[in-house]
Amino acid sequence: MHKLTYQSILVGLLFLASVCFSTETFAFSGAAEKEVVVEKGPHNGRMLRQDGFAIELSIFETGVPPEFRVWATKDGETLAPESIDLNVKLTRLGGVVDDINFKPENDYLRGDMVIYEPHSFLVTVSAKHQGQSYRWEYENFEGRTQIADKVADAMGIETEIAGPATLHQTIEVYGVLKWPPGAQRQLKARFDGEVRKVHVELGARVEKGQTLLTIESNESLSPYSIRSPLSGVVTGLFASEGEQANEQTLIEVTATDSLIAELAVFPSDRTKVKLNAPVELSVNSLSTPIKSVIDSSLPQTRSDQAKVYRVKVDNTELGLSEGQFVTAQIEVNTLEVQLAVKRTGLQAFRDFTVVYAKVGEQYEVRMLELGEQDAEWIEVLGGLEPGTEYVTENSFIIKADIEKSGASHDH
């Protein structure tokens, strides 16, 4: 259902953009429209031919980091690799150029640089053999597309600059709200007598010192008042006018301005939780999480081996009540990392987790090596340069356009 919704949104936005923007503005999908048939050699590399001279340029990555290997022929005859002077330049998005030279090895020439992902670049090949020079140039793009800025804005594509971040790692636990000790008072008559007047109703809000009941003493026949010992709500009323007040509870008053969230932390997470750790509490009746800290813990464990940690909740304006269930995110670690991206920008591409870098109006995958993470950020250990502008919102639109263009991983 979620996937279908994304597709529906994308179709609608594409239609809107095609109506609202001119052909010049609506530069969408930078991949070539026509599929170019590439001749492959015996080593599954790309064949480049000129005047009887031919080389097979292959990215070899079996058991080693990706590298170029090249085999050469002249008029169909295999050439010794030491007879070839070869250079390959890879011009990547943003103008970075990988300058690769080659040395003979066995029956091929081996490049002196790792071909890091993405394998998306303009390839320029220069070769010399017996005084003759040869040159080829072709595009080998993958995971790349182009979207005009006005179209990207209309589609809600947002970007940020990759850089340092503070990660707040949390664990999720569950609990229940309870009144704190002393919040509920059960009031009885000081002297046996008749209930002459009930001044409040069940559920009424009362102030400290307010008269709740009037009792007439059986011995002195003098009336006396039962007053509220705190400000709160009448949560129990067990007396009616004309009844005898003996030793029974007549009325209950509860201070509702604060609650305690009792959170169950199981043994696997117990050592991670510290007093004063920040906590975010989510309650179904509230749209915004409650921020607080771990205030204390109970010394005993429950029958299910969970330890109970207690969090104070200011209930002055929230209207919460005892017995409501809560979900809590307890912060267990804070990390400063040198480079991180927002999780909202992540997408899957082949076997990689990627973000889409933005250079001008072009977008291209960046395969990430990932580290620590929290609910919002994920650390990047490799695959992305600090200061790169990348897509943080609606990156699925970029992914859909790249998949539509059919850009492949072609060596």
Side-chain angles (χ1 to χ4, degrees), residues 98-127:
D98 298 341
D99 194 349
I100 304 170
N101 293 306
F102 291 78
K103 291 183 178 180
E105 184 174 290
N106 298 325
D107 64 339
Y108 55 84
L109 288 160
R110 181 183 180 185
D112 63 359
M113 182 182 293
V114 172
I115 314 303
Y116 62 88
E117 297 280 6
H119 295 167
S120 179
F121 23 64
L122 175 67
V123 183
T124 304
V125 181
S126 300

PDB file of all heavy atoms in Angstrom, residues 98-127:
ATOM      1  N   ASP A  98      40.071  10.841 -12.331  1.00  0.00           N
ATOM      2  CA  ASP A  98      40.974   9.760 -11.927  1.00  0.00           C
ATOM      3  C   ASP A  98      41.930   9.495 -13.091  1.00  0.00           C
ATOM      4  O   ASP A  98      41.498   9.121 -14.193  1.00  0.00           O
ATOM      5  CB  ASP A  98      40.194   8.483 -11.607  1.00  0.00           C
ATOM      6  CG  ASP A  98      39.229   8.665 -10.438  1.00  0.00           C
ATOM      7  OD1 ASP A  98      39.409   9.627  -9.672  1.00  0.00           O
ATOM      8  OD2 ASP A  98      38.291   7.855 -10.312  1.00  0.00           O
ATOM      9  N   ASP A  99      43.226   9.699 -12.862  1.00  0.00           N
ATOM     10  CA  ASP A  99      44.254   9.545 -13.899  1.00  0.00           C
ATOM     11  C   ASP A  99      44.966   8.214 -13.667  1.00  0.00           C
ATOM     12  O   ASP A  99      45.719   8.059 -12.705  1.00  0.00           O
ATOM     13  CB  ASP A  99      45.237  10.709 -13.814  1.00  0.00           C
ATOM     14  CG  ASP A  99      46.121  10.799 -15.042  1.00  0.00           C
ATOM     15  OD1 ASP A  99      46.119   9.856 -15.856  1.00  0.00           O
ATOM     16  OD2 ASP A  99      46.817  11.813 -15.188  1.00  0.00           O
ATOM     17  N   ILE A 100      44.724   7.251 -14.562  1.00  0.00           N
ATOM     18  CA  ILE A 100      45.166   5.882 -14.340  1.00  0.00           C
ATOM     19  C   ILE A 100      46.221   5.499 -15.374  1.00  0.00           C
ATOM     20  O   ILE A 100      45.994   5.602 -16.585  1.00  0.00           O
ATOM     21  CB  ILE A 100      43.973   4.904 -14.429  1.00  0.00           C
ATOM     22  CG1 ILE A 100      42.878   5.340 -13.435  1.00  0.00           C
ATOM     23  CG2 ILE A 100      44.421   3.480 -14.154  1.00  0.00           C
ATOM     24  CD1 ILE A 100      41.578   4.595 -13.608  1.00  0.00           C
ATOM     25  N   ASN A 101      47.375   5.067 -14.885  1.00  0.00           N
ATOM     26  CA  ASN A 101      48.429   4.551 -15.742  1.00  0.00           C
ATOM     27  C   ASN A 101      48.514   3.031 -15.582  1.00  0.00           C
ATOM     28  O   ASN A 101      47.956   2.453 -14.642  1.00  0.00           O
ATOM     29  CB  ASN A 101      49.768   5.204 -15.399  1.00  0.00           C
ATOM     30  CG  ASN A 101      49.756   6.687 -15.743  1.00  0.00           C
ATOM     31  OD1 ASN A 101      49.454   7.069 -16.876  1.00  0.00           O
ATOM     32  ND2 ASN A 101      50.053   7.529 -14.751  1.00  0.00           N
ATOM     33  N   PHE A 102      49.237   2.380 -16.512  1.00  0.00           N
ATOM     34  CA  PHE A 102      49.218   0.915 -16.574  1.00  0.00           C
ATOM     35  C   PHE A 102      50.625   0.349 -16.650  1.00  0.00           C
ATOM     36  O   PHE A 102      51.538   0.966 -17.217  1.00  0.00           O
ATOM     37  CB  PHE A 102      48.413   0.456 -17.802  1.00  0.00           C
ATOM     38  CG  PHE A 102      46.939   0.739 -17.702  1.00  0.00           C
ATOM     39  CD1 PHE A 102      46.443   2.019 -17.930  1.00  0.00           C
ATOM     40  CD2 PHE A 102      46.049  -0.269 -17.356  1.00  0.00           C
ATOM     41  CE1 PHE A 102      45.085   2.287 -17.836  1.00  0.00           C
ATOM     42  CE2 PHE A 102      44.683  -0.011 -17.255  1.00  0.00           C
ATOM     43  CZ  PHE A 102      44.202   1.274 -17.501  1.00  0.00           C
ATOM     44  N   LYS A 103      50.762  -0.854 -16.069  1.00  0.00           N
ATOM     45  CA  LYS A 103      52.022  -1.598 -16.141  1.00  0.00           C
ATOM     46  C   LYS A 103      51.736  -3.014 -16.614  1.00  0.00           C
ATOM     47  O   LYS A 103      50.674  -3.566 -16.324  1.00  0.00           O
ATOM     48  CB  LYS A 103      52.695  -1.629 -14.773  1.00  0.00           C
ATOM     49  CG  LYS A 103      53.221  -0.278 -14.314  1.00  0.00           C
ATOM     50  CD  LYS A 103      53.947  -0.411 -12.976  1.00  0.00           C
ATOM     51  CE  LYS A 103      54.516   0.945 -12.540  1.00  0.00           C
ATOM     52  NZ  LYS A 103      55.231   0.828 -11.230  1.00  0.00           N
ATOM     53  N   PRO A 104      52.680  -3.610 -17.346  1.00  0.00           N
ATOM     54  CA  PRO A 104      52.472  -4.995 -17.806  1.00  0.00           C
ATOM     55  C   PRO A 104      52.406  -5.966 -16.635  1.00  0.00           C
ATOM     56  O   PRO A 104      53.135  -5.837 -15.647  1.00  0.00           O
ATOM     57  CB  PRO A 104      53.705  -5.276 -18.675  1.00  0.00           C
ATOM     58  CG  PRO A 104      54.277  -3.931 -18.996  1.00  0.00           C
ATOM     59  CD  PRO A 104      53.947  -3.046 -17.840  1.00  0.00           C
ATOM     60  N   GLU A 105      51.526  -6.941 -16.770  1.00  0.00           N
ATOM     61  CA  GLU A 105      51.431  -8.031 -15.799  1.00  0.00           C
ATOM     62  C   GLU A 105      50.863  -9.243 -16.519  1.00  0.00           C
ATOM     63  O   GLU A 105      49.746  -9.173 -17.057  1.00  0.00           O
ATOM     64  CB  GLU A 105      50.555  -7.639 -14.609  1.00  0.00           C
ATOM     65  CG  GLU A 105      50.505  -8.710 -13.517  1.00  0.00           C
ATOM     66  CD  GLU A 105      49.748  -8.256 -12.288  1.00  0.00           C
ATOM     67  OE1 GLU A 105      50.260  -7.375 -11.555  1.00  0.00           O
ATOM     68  OE2 GLU A 105      48.627  -8.772 -12.057  1.00  0.00           O
ATOM     69  N   ASN A 106      51.631 -10.325 -16.537  1.00  0.00           N
ATOM     70  CA  ASN A 106      51.228 -11.524 -17.278  1.00  0.00           C
ATOM     71  C   ASN A 106      50.925 -11.141 -18.726  1.00  0.00           C
ATOM     72  O   ASN A 106      51.753 -10.533 -19.385  1.00  0.00           O
ATOM     73  CB  ASN A 106      50.046 -12.210 -16.599  1.00  0.00           C
ATOM     74  CG  ASN A 106      50.401 -12.674 -15.191  1.00  0.00           C
ATOM     75  OD1 ASN A 106      51.531 -13.080 -14.934  1.00  0.00           O
ATOM     76  ND2 ASN A 106      49.447 -12.599 -14.275  1.00  0.00           N
ATOM     77  N   ASP A 107      49.726 -11.434 -19.209  1.00  0.00           N
ATOM     78  CA  ASP A 107      49.402 -11.137 -20.604  1.00  0.00           C
ATOM     79  C   ASP A 107      48.524  -9.900 -20.755  1.00  0.00           C
ATOM     80  O   ASP A 107      47.898  -9.695 -21.787  1.00  0.00           O
ATOM     81  CB  ASP A 107      48.709 -12.340 -21.251  1.00  0.00           C
ATOM     82  CG  ASP A 107      47.362 -12.648 -20.602  1.00  0.00           C
ATOM     83  OD1 ASP A 107      47.142 -12.221 -19.436  1.00  0.00           O
ATOM     84  OD2 ASP A 107      46.527 -13.310 -21.249  1.00  0.00           O
ATOM     85  N   TYR A 108      48.498  -9.040 -19.735  1.00  0.00           N
ATOM     86  CA  TYR A 108      47.627  -7.864 -19.782  1.00  0.00           C
ATOM     87  C   TYR A 108      48.323  -6.666 -19.131  1.00  0.00           C
ATOM     88  O   TYR A 108      49.375  -6.779 -18.503  1.00  0.00           O
ATOM     89  CB  TYR A 108      46.297  -8.141 -19.077  1.00  0.00           C
ATOM     90  CG  TYR A 108      46.444  -8.622 -17.649  1.00  0.00           C
ATOM     91  CD1 TYR A 108      46.607  -7.727 -16.588  1.00  0.00           C
ATOM     92  CD2 TYR A 108      46.427  -9.984 -17.357  1.00  0.00           C
ATOM     93  CE1 TYR A 108      46.753  -8.172 -15.287  1.00  0.00           C
ATOM     94  CE2 TYR A 108      46.565 -10.439 -16.050  1.00  0.00           C
ATOM     95  CZ  TYR A 108      46.729  -9.531 -15.015  1.00  0.00           C
ATOM     96  OH  TYR A 108      46.874  -9.971 -13.727  1.00  0.00           O
ATOM     97  N   LEU A 109      47.713  -5.511 -19.323  1.00  0.00           N
ATOM     98  CA  LEU A 109      48.139  -4.293 -18.638  1.00  0.00           C
ATOM     99  C   LEU A 109      47.218  -4.088 -17.427  1.00  0.00           C
ATOM    100  O   LEU A 109      45.987  -4.205 -17.533  1.00  0.00           O
ATOM    101  CB  LEU A 109      48.039  -3.083 -19.566  1.00  0.00           C
ATOM    102  CG  LEU A 109      49.078  -3.016 -20.688  1.00  0.00           C
ATOM    103  CD1 LEU A 109      48.594  -2.088 -21.787  1.00  0.00           C
ATOM    104  CD2 LEU A 109      50.414  -2.555 -20.141  1.00  0.00           C
ATOM    105  N   ARG A 110      47.805  -3.712 -16.290  1.00  0.00           N
ATOM    106  CA  ARG A 110      47.041  -3.549 -15.055  1.00  0.00           C
ATOM    107  C   ARG A 110      47.082  -2.097 -14.602  1.00  0.00           C
ATOM    108  O   ARG A 110      48.142  -1.487 -14.509  1.00  0.00           O
ATOM    109  CB  ARG A 110      47.621  -4.450 -13.966  1.00  0.00           C
ATOM    110  CG  ARG A 110      46.874  -4.354 -12.641  1.00  0.00           C
ATOM    111  CD  ARG A 110      47.551  -5.217 -11.595  1.00  0.00           C
ATOM    112  NE  ARG A 110      46.853  -5.138 -10.317  1.00  0.00           N
ATOM    113  CZ  ARG A 110      47.270  -5.719  -9.201  1.00  0.00           C
ATOM    114  NH1 ARG A 110      48.397  -6.424  -9.209  1.00  0.00           N
ATOM    115  NH2 ARG A 110      46.580  -5.594  -8.084  1.00  0.00           N
ATOM    116  N   GLY A 111      45.902  -1.522 -14.345  1.00  0.00           N
ATOM    117  CA  GLY A 111      45.818  -0.149 -13.881  1.00  0.00           C
ATOM    118  C   GLY A 111      46.341   0.023 -12.475  1.00  0.00           C
ATOM    119  O   GLY A 111      46.314  -0.900 -11.654  1.00  0.00           O
ATOM    120  N   ASP A 112      46.834   1.229 -12.171  1.00  0.00           N
ATOM    121  CA  ASP A 112      47.475   1.486 -10.879  1.00  0.00           C
ATOM    122  C   ASP A 112      46.552   2.166  -9.864  1.00  0.00           C
ATOM    123  O   ASP A 112      47.019   2.736  -8.879  1.00  0.00           O
ATOM    124  CB  ASP A 112      48.738   2.338 -11.072  1.00  0.00           C
ATOM    125  CG  ASP A 112      48.439   3.720 -11.650  1.00  0.00           C
ATOM    126  OD1 ASP A 112      47.250   4.024 -11.930  1.00  0.00           O
ATOM    127  OD2 ASP A 112      49.391   4.500 -11.827  1.00  0.00           O
ATOM    128  N   MET A 113      45.227   2.121 -10.115  1.00  0.00           N
ATOM    129  CA  MET A 113      44.298   2.793  -9.201  1.00  0.00           C
ATOM    130  C   MET A 113      43.035   1.958  -9.048  1.00  0.00           C
ATOM    131  O   MET A 113      42.568   1.342 -10.003  1.00  0.00           O
ATOM    132  CB  MET A 113      43.941   4.190  -9.742  1.00  0.00           C
ATOM    133  CG  MET A 113      43.008   5.001  -8.847  1.00  0.00           C
ATOM    134  SD  MET A 113      42.589   6.622  -9.579  1.00  0.00           S
ATOM    135  CE  MET A 113      44.196   7.421  -9.527  1.00  0.00           C
ATOM    136  N   VAL A 114      42.495   1.955  -7.840  1.00  0.00           N
ATOM    137  CA  VAL A 114      41.210   1.291  -7.589  1.00  0.00           C
ATOM    138  C   VAL A 114      40.091   2.085  -8.247  1.00  0.00           C
ATOM    139  O   VAL A 114      40.040   3.320  -8.149  1.00  0.00           O
ATOM    140  CB  VAL A 114      40.944   1.162  -6.074  1.00  0.00           C
ATOM    141  CG1 VAL A 114      39.529   0.643  -5.811  1.00  0.00           C
ATOM    142  CG2 VAL A 114      41.969   0.243  -5.437  1.00  0.00           C
ATOM    143  N   ILE A 115      39.188   1.385  -8.940  1.00  0.00           N
ATOM    144  CA  ILE A 115      38.038   2.036  -9.576  1.00  0.00           C
ATOM    145  C   ILE A 115      36.884   2.007  -8.576  1.00  0.00           C
ATOM    146  O   ILE A 115      36.133   1.045  -8.487  1.00  0.00           O
ATOM    147  CB  ILE A 115      37.631   1.315 -10.881  1.00  0.00           C
ATOM    148  CG1 ILE A 115      38.863   1.014 -11.743  1.00  0.00           C
ATOM    149  CG2 ILE A 115      36.612   2.157 -11.645  1.00  0.00           C
ATOM    150  CD1 ILE A 115      39.665   2.237 -12.098  1.00  0.00           C
ATOM    151  N   TYR A 116      36.801   3.074  -7.776  1.00  0.00           N
ATOM    152  CA  TYR A 116      35.812   3.089  -6.695  1.00  0.00           C
ATOM    153  C   TYR A 116      34.415   3.383  -7.234  1.00  0.00           C
ATOM    154  O   TYR A 116      34.235   3.970  -8.309  1.00  0.00           O
ATOM    155  CB  TYR A 116      36.220   4.084  -5.611  1.00  0.00           C
ATOM    156  CG  TYR A 116      36.309   5.530  -6.069  1.00  0.00           C
ATOM    157  CD1 TYR A 116      35.201   6.375  -6.036  1.00  0.00           C
ATOM    158  CD2 TYR A 116      37.523   6.051  -6.522  1.00  0.00           C
ATOM    159  CE1 TYR A 116      35.300   7.698  -6.448  1.00  0.00           C
ATOM    160  CE2 TYR A 116      37.626   7.370  -6.934  1.00  0.00           C
ATOM    161  CZ  TYR A 116      36.515   8.187  -6.894  1.00  0.00           C
ATOM    162  OH  TYR A 116      36.607   9.487  -7.313  1.00  0.00           O
ATOM    163  N   GLU A 117      33.418   2.961  -6.477  1.00  0.00           N
ATOM    164  CA  GLU A 117      32.022   3.201  -6.836  1.00  0.00           C
ATOM    165  C   GLU A 117      31.654   4.670  -6.615  1.00  0.00           C
ATOM    166  O   GLU A 117      32.209   5.327  -5.742  1.00  0.00           O
ATOM    167  CB  GLU A 117      31.097   2.313  -5.989  1.00  0.00           C
ATOM    168  CG  GLU A 117      31.279   0.825  -6.193  1.00  0.00           C
ATOM    169  CD  GLU A 117      30.577   0.299  -7.438  1.00  0.00           C
ATOM    170  OE1 GLU A 117      30.036   1.106  -8.210  1.00  0.00           O
ATOM    171  OE2 GLU A 117      30.570  -0.928  -7.626  1.00  0.00           O
ATOM    172  N   PRO A 118      30.671   5.181  -7.393  1.00  0.00           N
ATOM    173  CA  PRO A 118      29.998   4.477  -8.487  1.00  0.00           C
ATOM    174  C   PRO A 118      30.882   4.436  -9.735  1.00  0.00           C
ATOM    175  O   PRO A 118      31.697   5.328  -9.955  1.00  0.00           O
ATOM    176  CB  PRO A 118      28.745   5.327  -8.730  1.00  0.00           C
ATOM    177  CG  PRO A 118      29.151   6.715  -8.359  1.00  0.00           C
ATOM    178  CD  PRO A 118      30.108   6.550  -7.203  1.00  0.00           C
ATOM    179  N   HIS A 119      30.675   3.399 -10.540  1.00  0.00           N
ATOM    180  CA  HIS A 119      31.398   3.292 -11.800  1.00  0.00           C
ATOM    181  C   HIS A 119      30.656   4.114 -12.849  1.00  0.00           C
ATOM    182  O   HIS A 119      30.098   3.596 -13.801  1.00  0.00           O
ATOM    183  CB  HIS A 119      31.536   1.823 -12.212  1.00  0.00           C
ATOM    184  CG  HIS A 119      32.381   1.042 -11.265  1.00  0.00           C
ATOM    185  ND1 HIS A 119      32.447  -0.326 -11.269  1.00  0.00           N
ATOM    186  CD2 HIS A 119      33.220   1.450 -10.256  1.00  0.00           C
ATOM    187  CE1 HIS A 119      33.283  -0.727 -10.304  1.00  0.00           C
ATOM    188  NE2 HIS A 119      33.757   0.331  -9.693  1.00  0.00           N
ATOM    189  N   SER A 120      30.680   5.418 -12.621  1.00  0.00           N
ATOM    190  CA  SER A 120      29.931   6.363 -13.441  1.00  0.00           C
ATOM    191  C   SER A 120      30.851   7.516 -13.806  1.00  0.00           C
ATOM    192  O   SER A 120      31.235   8.311 -12.942  1.00  0.00           O
ATOM    193  CB  SER A 120      28.704   6.866 -12.657  1.00  0.00           C
ATOM    194  OG  SER A 120      27.964   7.793 -13.416  1.00  0.00           O
ATOM    195  N   PHE A 121      31.224   7.594 -15.094  1.00  0.00           N
ATOM    196  CA  PHE A 121      32.217   8.589 -15.493  1.00  0.00           C
ATOM    197  C   PHE A 121      32.270   8.703 -17.016  1.00  0.00           C
ATOM    198  O   PHE A 121      31.761   7.845 -17.747  1.00  0.00           O
ATOM    199  CB  PHE A 121      33.618   8.208 -14.989  1.00  0.00           C
ATOM    200  CG  PHE A 121      33.819   6.745 -14.715  1.00  0.00           C
ATOM    201  CD1 PHE A 121      33.747   5.790 -15.733  1.00  0.00           C
ATOM    202  CD2 PHE A 121      34.056   6.300 -13.437  1.00  0.00           C
ATOM    203  CE1 PHE A 121      33.934   4.434 -15.476  1.00  0.00           C
ATOM    204  CE2 PHE A 121      34.237   4.943 -13.164  1.00  0.00           C
ATOM    205  CZ  PHE A 121      34.172   4.014 -14.183  1.00  0.00           C
ATOM    206  N   LEU A 122      32.883   9.779 -17.475  1.00  0.00           N
ATOM    207  CA  LEU A 122      33.283   9.934 -18.869  1.00  0.00           C
ATOM    208  C   LEU A 122      34.672   9.312 -18.989  1.00  0.00           C
ATOM    209  O   LEU A 122      35.597   9.688 -18.271  1.00  0.00           O
ATOM    210  CB  LEU A 122      33.317  11.404 -19.260  1.00  0.00           C
ATOM    211  CG  LEU A 122      33.847  11.716 -20.662  1.00  0.00           C
ATOM    212  CD1 LEU A 122      32.898  11.178 -21.731  1.00  0.00           C
ATOM    213  CD2 LEU A 122      34.056  13.215 -20.832  1.00  0.00           C
ATOM    214  N   VAL A 123      34.799   8.330 -19.891  1.00  0.00           N
ATOM    215  CA  VAL A 123      36.058   7.583 -20.027  1.00  0.00           C
ATOM    216  C   VAL A 123      36.835   8.124 -21.229  1.00  0.00           C
ATOM    217  O   VAL A 123      36.304   8.195 -22.339  1.00  0.00           O
ATOM    218  CB  VAL A 123      35.780   6.078 -20.212  1.00  0.00           C
ATOM    219  CG1 VAL A 123      37.104   5.304 -20.281  1.00  0.00           C
ATOM    220  CG2 VAL A 123      34.901   5.547 -19.082  1.00  0.00           C
ATOM    221  N   THR A 124      38.094   8.492 -21.006  1.00  0.00           N
ATOM    222  CA  THR A 124      38.994   8.920 -22.081  1.00  0.00           C
ATOM    223  C   THR A 124      40.201   7.982 -22.088  1.00  0.00           C
ATOM    224  O   THR A 124      40.929   7.896 -21.094  1.00  0.00           O
ATOM    225  CB  THR A 124      39.456  10.366 -21.881  1.00  0.00           C
ATOM    226  OG1 THR A 124      38.313  11.223 -21.784  1.00  0.00           O
ATOM    227  CG2 THR A 124      40.333  10.819 -23.048  1.00  0.00           C
ATOM    228  N   VAL A 125      40.398   7.263 -23.200  1.00  0.00           N
ATOM    229  CA  VAL A 125      41.462   6.275 -23.309  1.00  0.00           C
ATOM    230  C   VAL A 125      42.477   6.760 -24.341  1.00  0.00           C
ATOM    231  O   VAL A 125      42.119   7.102 -25.474  1.00  0.00           O
ATOM    232  CB  VAL A 125      40.900   4.901 -23.736  1.00  0.00           C
ATOM    233  CG1 VAL A 125      42.031   3.869 -23.820  1.00  0.00           C
ATOM    234  CG2 VAL A 125      39.821   4.443 -22.764  1.00  0.00           C
ATOM    235  N   SER A 126      43.743   6.778 -23.922  1.00  0.00           N
ATOM    236  CA  SER A 126      44.831   7.147 -24.840  1.00  0.00           C
ATOM    237  C   SER A 126      45.838   5.999 -24.888  1.00  0.00           C
ATOM    238  O   SER A 126      46.270   5.503 -23.833  1.00  0.00           O
ATOM    239  CB  SER A 126      45.535   8.422 -24.353  1.00  0.00           C
ATOM    240  OG  SER A 126      44.609   9.497 -24.291  1.00  0.00           O
ATOM    241  N   ALA A 127      46.210   5.584 -26.118  1.00  0.00           N
ATOM    242  CA  ALA A 127      47.147   4.457 -26.261  1.00  0.00           C
ATOM    243  C   ALA A 127      48.180   4.780 -27.335  1.00  0.00           C
ATOM    244  O   ALA A 127      47.899   5.508 -28.292  1.00  0.00           O
ATOM    245  CB  ALA A 127      46.385   3.188 -26.622  1.00  0.00           C
TER     246      ALA A 127
END
